[in-house]
Each structure stands twice: as structure tokens, then as C-alpha cells.
Amino acid sequence: MSGEMKAGTNLERVLRAGHFAVTAELGPPDSSNPDDVIHEIGVMEGAVDAYNATDASGAHCHMSSVAVSALTAQQGLDPILQISCRDKNRIAIQGDVLGAAALGVGNVLCLTGDDVTAGDQPEAKRVFDFDCMHLLRTLRIMRDKSMFLSGRPLTTAPKLFLGAASNPFAMPYDFRPIRMAKKIEAGADFIQTQYCFDIPRFKEFMKRAVDLGLHEKAFIMVGVGPMKGGRSAEFIRKNVPGVRIPDAIIDRLNGAPKGKKAEEGKKICIELIQQAMEIEGVSGAHIMAYKLEHQVPDIVKGAGLWPRPVMEAVQEPMPEPVPGD
Amino acid sequence: MSIGSWLRDHPRMLERAYGSTKSLFQKLDPVIKRIGYERVDRWISGPEDWSKKIIFNCKMCGQCVLHSTGMTCSMSCPKNLRNGACGGVRANGHCEVKPEMRCVWVEAYERSEQMGTWGHEITHIQPPVNRQLEGSSAWVNMLTGVDQEVPKGWVGINTIPVLEKNGSGS
């Protein structure tokens, strides 16, 4: 699928050129020091096409995703700004997107967001003025119609490559491809799935997606991630909403010799990427290596996806000279 | 089992009841218009709140889309999702936020499958909620058409081509 360029970000160019894309999640720091972000980006540099800046994921507060994205863009790299509907109403979100675009952000991942009760401040007020579908459509309106949702015009529309999440591993299973179709209709140009550990279930989901022609309308990227060991996998299964890890994976991690468990987790992750690459309609992998970011280059190499393609920058048309200048 | 949950598990019956109540209100519209929509809203919003709370756990958003969401109130989702289900649904089909409760959208989807007339509307994209209508009568808002008004940017794009649940898009 080539299609019309929406924002010309590195991620979009890699995908439209037909390469198998790789993105990874940046764990934003609990700090106000920009060097913490720059260091983490450096750990993964060259291994991925774009970096997801999470927006208080799991309802835990960290450095804002707009700031992390802007710092990434300052490094000449391609950020994916994640926006959750949990903490901001429609007025705040639209302003943030204009600001982020002004700071060089082109990719935006639109999420409903984990509930406040998942975090360490469950007493907070949940907003959810929008859901992810409204967020996608509103950003598409800003991009394509050059106006706010209210209809008030923008003097410069943001150039955006819009993303959405999908969880093929949560009920109701039959409805998941339909809901993804709704997200694509609402505006999603690319999809990143929740952690995939269950290839048969993912295959079923992708088959339905391909039947519906969704892989021709949006780039679908499989979500994967290395686990530190059986205990941490069990913790994630129990505490992170929507993550399903089959017992077989946990048994395999537990069965690895002491000191080799993280290595086994990395191996599983590589195998999952390779299996997903064989499935029709899968355009890339999204690696969520929480606190294991240093493993990302090895995972990308292990999956045979190194080096990453170097895309030529999109030539911005030169502004017309103003007479008398 | 409460009467409300028994009724919710019979979505075809509720769908028919919705259809007849809708046409009754439409027939009465000239009378209601003469009395005044605001006055009628004052009269019926209380009883509407009471009855819909019992049956649907209604939150009185004032822009009812029950028939498009499997006769299941989407506002009773703790995240107020108009376009669920979110990705946080537990392995047993229960809610991410309230583990003791089945996911509102899992139920909405199951019930929409049983509905003959409006079941397919679960594939529609519902526009953002107009928070100004909260607490007012959805029936009166249906007659005045205010529940169908969307922000200017959204005009013309509030639904998608219906996807047949068992086949390809149309």
C-alpha cells in the first residue's frame, strides 16, 4: 500500500515504501532533565524508525508526551506522540496537537487510555470527554479540513500521520476487527496492537482484517515486547489492563536457567516478530521493552530487521518569494 | 436477578418497545410542540430518568443511542465510551475499572447480535457527547433534533458504511 503522503514523517515514508517498519516505546522519565530522554533515545538509535512517547501510561504520571516527543524531534528523530483521552478534554487536546506539530511532531497515536484506577493516583478525576474514535476524527478534521472540531478555521493545519491501538486479545473477539475498521474510518493511518503473545488468535484477527480489506486502508503493526522473566510476565498479565500472556510463555520463561531468563524473553520476542512477519497484512512491529530498552537493538537484529532503511527527507516546496523582499 | 437486568437480556423486546415509544412520541409531536418542549421536558425528564435508570442504569446524557448500542447504556461504561469496547476488557469479559461488572460493551455487542432492526448500528461511529444536554429528556431532544446536532467540523461524517458482521463491507 503506497497511498498519499499525509505528514511525510520517517515512519510514514518507511511504511509507504513497503518496508517492514519498527517502532519502539520510550519510557518517559520521572524527571525534568532532558538528558534522561536523550540518553534513552540513544540506547535505541538506529534500531527503530520512530519512537512512541507514552502519555502517562497505566495512569502513572511521567514527563509529558508532548515534551518527550519534542525532545525526540530535536534529535532529528521521529516521535509518535501518544494522547490519552483520560486526562484532557477536547479543548486541551486540540491545543496540544497544534503545539506538538509546531515542535516537529508528525505522528500521533490516539488512545482512550487506561483508567485512573490503574495508577498510583486512583483518586484523580477521570475526564474521557472524548473516546479514541472522537480523538482520531477530530485530528483528521484539523488536518484535512484545516479547522477545529467546532468549525473555527486554522491558519496552518497540522500535518499528521494518525495512529490507533487495537487489542485483538480482548473480548469481544469478533468485534475487534470491526472496531479497528471504525478506527480506520475515523482517521487511523496506522495501527499498533497490544502485546501479542498468542499467534493463533492474532492470525484469526488478521484474517478477518484482511477479509475486510483493512490492511489496504491502514498499516497494521504487531505489538511485541521482551519479558524479564516468568515473575515479571505474571505481574504484567495481572496488572496491565488488556494484556494476555499464555501459560506456555510463562512456563518457558520460568524454565530458563537462572541468569538466562531475560535472554529467553528476548528470544521469545524475536520469534514472535518473525512469526508475525509471515502473516498477511502485517506491516511492522511495535516493540514495548519496558525497562529493557537496551535489548531493542538486539531484538531488531535478531529478527533480521537491521539496518533500518534510510529514507530521503521529503522536499518541502520552497515558499513563493514575496515581491519587494 | 433484577427486573432491569432481566429486561436488558431481552434486547429484541426492548428494541420493539423503543420502536413503539419512538413512533408514539413522533405522533404526539404536534401536541408537545404546542405545549412547549421546555415545559414537557420539565414534566417528563424526572419519570424518564427514573424508568431508564431501573431498566438501563441510564445516566441521562440527554442524547440516547441505546438502539445503536445493543439496548445497553454506553454511558454506564466507567470510561463513558460511546465507541467501545476499550482494550482493557479482562479475560473473563469483565470491566477493567470495575472487576465485578461485565464489560458494558461486551454486553452491548452480544445483545446487538440478537437485535433485528437496529443491531447493525453498533458498527456506526457515534459522535462526541454534547455535555450541555446532560439531565434533559432524550425523547424531547429527539423531537427537537438537538440530539442529532454535531459540531461543525463533524458534519456529514457521523456514521460509516455499515459492515455486515458476517461478511464484507457494503
Side-chain angles (χ1 to χ4, degrees):
Chain A
M1 175 179 44
S2 48
E4 182 200 340
M5 198 70 82
K6 301 284 173 57
T9 62
N10 189 56
L11 175 64
E12 183 177 11
R13 282 178 281 140
V14 167
L15 285 165
R16 291 204 192 282
H19 300 290
F20 191 87
V22 183
T23 57
E25 200 168 272
L26 279 174
D30 294 334
S31 123
S32 58
N33 186 351
D35 293 339
D36 294 343
V37 178
I38 293 163
H39 170 76
E40 204 182 310
I41 294 169
V43 168
M44 296 190 278
E45 197 173 342
V48 301
D49 304 314
Y51 301 79
N52 280 59
T54 57
D55 183 12
S57 67
H60 285 84
C61 186
H62 307 287
M63 187 189 283
S64 81
S65 58
V66 172
V68 172
S69 297
L71 288 166
T72 308
Q74 276 176 19
Q75 300 301 302
L77 299 167
D78 193 22
I80 302 172
L81 169 69
Q82 295 196 184
I83 301 179
S84 144
C85 298
R86 178 194 55 233
D87 308 319
K88 286 175 273 201
N89 72 4
R90 61 190 84 181
I91 298 170
I93 289 173
Q94 291 171 82
D96 271 0
V97 168
L98 286 186
L103 293 167
V105 177
N107 310 302
V108 182
L109 185 76
C110 301
L111 304 165
T112 295
D114 301 322
D115 187 65
V116 293
T117 48
D120 58 348
Q121 301 185 68
E123 67 278 15
K125 182 177 167 69
R126 52 175 77 93
V127 179
F128 296 118
D129 180 30
F130 269 0
D131 61 28
C132 59
M133 221 68 79
H134 304 144
L135 176 54
L136 280 162
R137 185 58 100 170
T138 298
L139 301 194
R140 183 170 158 190
I141 290 164
M142 290 171 76
R143 180 190 68 195
D144 295 347
K145 294 183 164 185
S146 190
M147 57 168 71
F148 290 109
L149 178 62
S150 68
R152 194 155 53 84
L154 297 167
T155 50
T156 305
K159 286 183 180 164
L160 302 171
F161 188 49
L162 296 173
S166 182
N167 189 354
F169 315 101
M171 285 169 76
Y173 303 120
D174 290 351
F175 189 56
R176 292 292 164 184
I178 299 171
R179 188 158 188 260
M180 184 162 78
K182 288 170 85 167
K183 289 190 180 188
I184 293 169
E185 179 60 29
D189 303 305
F190 70 96
I191 301 286
Q192 292 177 324
T193 77
Q194 182 54 279
Y195 280 106
C196 168
F197 290 100
D198 184 348
I199 290 286
R201 163 80 55 208
F202 184 59
K203 270 187 183 160
E204 225 169 280
F205 170 83
M206 284 307 301
K207 187 180 176 304
R208 186 80 177 97
V210 169
D211 286 348
L212 292 168
L214 303 181
H215 64 308
E216 287 166 350
K217 295 179 180 167
F219 300 97
I220 302 168
M221 304 178 71
V222 62
V224 290
M227 294 287 127
K228 241 183 222 163
R231 269 170 54 191
S232 82
E234 266 182 86
F235 179 85
I236 288 173
R237 176 162 79 169
K238 196 168 162 224
N239 294 296
V240 181
V243 180
R244 305 274 176 277
I245 307 180
D247 289 340
I249 298 275
I250 291 179
D251 292 345
R252 194 172 148 190
L253 287 162
N254 283 332
K258 214 177 163 198
K260 295 273 182 196
K261 292 188 193 295
E263 199 59 30
E264 189 65 20
K266 192 165 82 181
K267 224 172 120 193
I268 293 172
C269 182
I270 292 168
E271 288 170 18
L272 286 166
I273 295 176
Q274 286 172 332
Q275 289 174 53
M277 283 172 76
E278 299 298 316
I279 301 171
E280 187 187 358
V282 179
S283 297
H286 172 53
I287 307 171
M288 294 165 276
Y290 181 66
K291 292 197 172 159
L292 290 171
E293 288 83 1
H294 62 278
Q295 285 193 356
V296 170
D298 281 353
I299 292 169
V300 174
K301 283 175 193 162
L305 295 167
W306 184 286
R308 301 306 311 145
V310 178
M311 307 306 293
E312 264 182 51
V314 170
Q315 291 294 315
E316 286 284 335
M318 291 292 284
E320 292 285 320
V322 182
D325 255 12
Chain B
M1 183 188 270
S2 70
I3 177 105
S5 63
W6 184 86
L7 281 168
R8 286 197 295 275
D9 284 335
H10 292 78
R12 277 196 92 109
M13 198 163 84
L14 286 174
E15 182 183 40
R16 280 198 293 272
Y18 162 75
S20 357
T21 315
K22 184 182 172 186
S23 59
L24 176 70
F25 267 98
Q26 282 167 336
K27 276 183 198 131
L28 288 173
D29 187 31
V31 182
I32 293 172
K33 196 174 177 183
R34 200 170 310 153
I35 299 169
Y37 291 119
E38 276 183 37
R39 186 181 290 175
V40 174
D41 183 286
R42 282 199 299 276
W43 292 346
I44 71 165
S45 59
E48 185 178 327
D49 183 13
W50 179 79
S51 56
K52 280 164 80 174
K53 206 157 254 150
I54 291 174
I55 306 172
F56 302 109
N57 192 18
C58 163
K59 305 293 178 197
M60 285 297 277
C61 67
Q63 49 218 293
C64 193
V65 289
L66 275 165
H67 61 287
S68 303
T69 57
M71 302 308 291
T72 303
C73 177
S74 60
M75 301 307 279
S76 62
C77 158
K79 295 185 185 176
N80 282 183
L81 293 190
R82 294 294 260 202
N83 297 284
C86 79
V89 181
R90 291 167 191 266
N92 60 358
H94 282 222
C95 171
E96 166 196 333
V97 185
K98 295 181 176 173
E100 70 286 358
M101 182 176 92
R102 272 201 99 209
C103 165
V104 167
W105 275 92
V106 167
E107 295 196 323
Y109 179 66
E110 286 170 0
R111 291 168 184 157
S112 77
E113 297 249 278
Q114 300 169 40
M115 287 164 54
T117 311
W118 287 285
H120 65 278
E121 289 200 6
I122 198 137
T123 62
H124 288 187
I125 297 174
Q126 296 299 332
V129 177
N130 178 353
R131 310 283 169 184
Q132 292 177 304
L133 299 181
E134 277 172 17
S136 59
S137 162
W139 288 117
V140 173
N141 293 337
M142 177 194 78
L143 294 178
T144 62
V146 69
D147 67 335
Q148 294 297 314
E149 287 173 11
V150 289
K152 268 194 193 130
W154 194 278
V155 171
I157 48 174
N158 57 339
T159 58
I160 62 164
V162 175
L163 285 163
E164 295 300 331
K165 276 182 238 155
N166 56 352
S168 58
S170 61

